[in-house]
Amino acid sequence: MLRDIFGQAMEAMRHNGRRTAITIVGMAWGIATVVLLLAYGAGFGRAFETIFAQFGTNMIGVFPGTTSEQAGGAKAGVPIRLKMDDVERIRETVPGVLHTSPVLWKQVPVQNDLHTYTWEVDGVSPEIQDIQKMDLAEGRFLTEADLQQRNHVAVIGSQGSSKLFSGIYPLGQTIRLNGISFEVIGVLKPKMQEGDDNINRITYIPFSTMGDIKDNKYLDGIWFNYRGEPKSVERALRNTLAAAHAFRPTDHNAIWVANIMEQLAQFRIISLGLQVLLLFIGTLTLGIAGIGLMNIMLVSVQQRTREIGVEKALGARKRHILLQFLAEALVITGVGGIAGIALAYGVSKAVGGITFYSAIASNASAADIYLLISPHIVILATAVLVIVGTVSGMIPAIQAANLDPIEALRYE
């Protein structure tokens, strides 16, 4: 029975080939729009994920501040100073902590025999490589032995390497940091860099050796990565340091916390909102194509009124007529949907990357927007297509099924 119904639908479509083709094009354009808009929204979200992922996501940085609330007998305005004890305290008491690293930084002259620059030098522990996802282009990173032995070794950024050595092999070369000699043991891969940001010029040395350049009694910051829920980890961090330094955990000025996952969560909300908006716009576009399909099917019902009357006179029931016209609408929708998805894939391949972050940052092509059509997008777009096609075909089909057979036979 179903085979006969779809056969009749195909025959009716061939009989009105031009009209059917125009309707299919409209449906194809509508579904292609939905798929491409969803792909753009997904690409926008992926671009933000890529930007954050290059630095590490499940990590928190804590930096000293000044109290703004009274705590116990202490007045507000007391500076908080972090020490190495706080690194151990975080490692032992904050749940989910994986790696921790103290950080000291200072702008100092960085020079070799040919060049002199004033750049940032950071004293860190080897764990910072895992925390901030520092990938090496050449050589090795700092080790525990370097830290214990206070070795004068340095890992330099990609831009620092190119400016200091101008193509000369950097490993084993000697540079002077604030007049103190260090051996270059590694060069980092470039990270995305906005304008004159120094991310690719920072030089990393062992935290213990940093004491030769700057007093390391008080820390400039502590970085750590973790497993767990970001808000819970941050809350535990604030409680731990508040108890140790006698300030209120609610005093957000006492310590400054950079919770990367919290920032990423805000961008994810923006991305989700954009995808919902784009889905709404795409659905409206597909709805316009659906209205076109409905109009064509209503015209088809009018033109085939006498035929419907004959079928009913020969014993066809309402459901047979309903299925006949609904099948025709769904076949048109299905063919248009397949053509539209194929068109969307073709457009996504042709467009490639859409300039986004690379417009303001170097080494940032990976964070541009790519129209990547995932199976989830195709499934969602197909669901929208089925709903639109069914609604657009159901109204004319109901009208055809409800025709009075006597009046239909009299129709000219």
Side-chain angles (χ1 to χ4, degrees), residues 60-65 67 71 79-94 219 221-224 233-251 254-258:
I60 289 178
V62 55
F63 310 96
T67 61
I80 301 300
R81 294 183 173 181
L82 301 177
K83 298 181 180 181
M84 283 300 298
D85 290 344
D86 294 307
V87 178
E88 293 299 322
R89 190 173 289 114
I90 290 171
R91 184 181 294 123
E92 293 173 359
T93 62
V94 176
L219 309 180
I222 302 169
W223 282 102
F224 65 90
V233 174
E234 181 178 341
R235 191 182 306 114
L237 169 69
R238 289 187 179 278
N239 290 336
T240 294
L241 293 182
H245 293 273
F247 65 84
R248 294 179 182 272
T250 57
D251 189 353
I255 54 172
W256 302 96
V257 177

Side-chain angles (χ1 to χ4, degrees), residues 104-111 116-122 175-180 182 201 203 205 210 212-214:
L104 276 177
W105 58 74
K106 187 176 182 180
Q107 296 282 338
V108 301
V110 179
Q111 57 191 161
T116 299
Y117 301 96
T118 299
W119 288 340
E120 180 181 322
V121 174
D122 287 8
I175 59 174
R176 293 183 297 280
L177 307 178
N178 207 30
I180 302 172
F182 285 78
R201 295 195 298 269
T203 299
I205 64 175
M210 187 69 179
D212 295 342
I213 297 175
K214 181 180 180 178

Side-chain angles (χ1 to χ4, degrees), residues 57-60 94-98 224-238 257 259-263 265 268:
T57 49
N58 281 65
M59 68 175 183
I60 289 178
V94 176
V97 171
L98 301 176
F224 65 90
N225 59 356
Y226 61 91
R227 291 194 188 98
E229 202 277 321
K231 288 185 178 180
S232 299
V233 174
E234 181 178 341
R235 191 182 306 114
L237 169 69
R238 289 187 179 278
V257 177
N259 193 335
I260 305 303
M261 282 302 295
E262 281 291 296
Q263 298 174 21
R268 283 174 174 168

Side-chain angles (χ1 to χ4, degrees), residues 177-198:
L177 307 178
N178 207 30
I180 302 172
S181 294
F182 285 78
E183 178 188 352
V184 176
I185 60 170
V187 178
L188 297 173
K189 289 183 178 179
K191 289 183 177 290
M192 300 177 193
Q193 176 180 334
E194 294 183 24
D196 198 39
D197 183 26
N198 71 343

Side-chain angles (χ1 to χ4, degrees), residues 117-139:
Y117 301 96
T118 299
W119 288 340
E120 180 181 322
V121 174
D122 287 8
V124 296
S125 68
E127 287 85 355
I128 199 72
Q129 183 182 17
D130 292 316
I131 296 170
Q132 296 189 353
K133 294 189 180 299
M134 297 181 180
D135 296 323
L136 288 164
E138 297 176 293

Side-chain angles (χ1 to χ4, degrees), residues 147 199 284 287 367:
L147 197 67
I199 185 66
L284 287 180

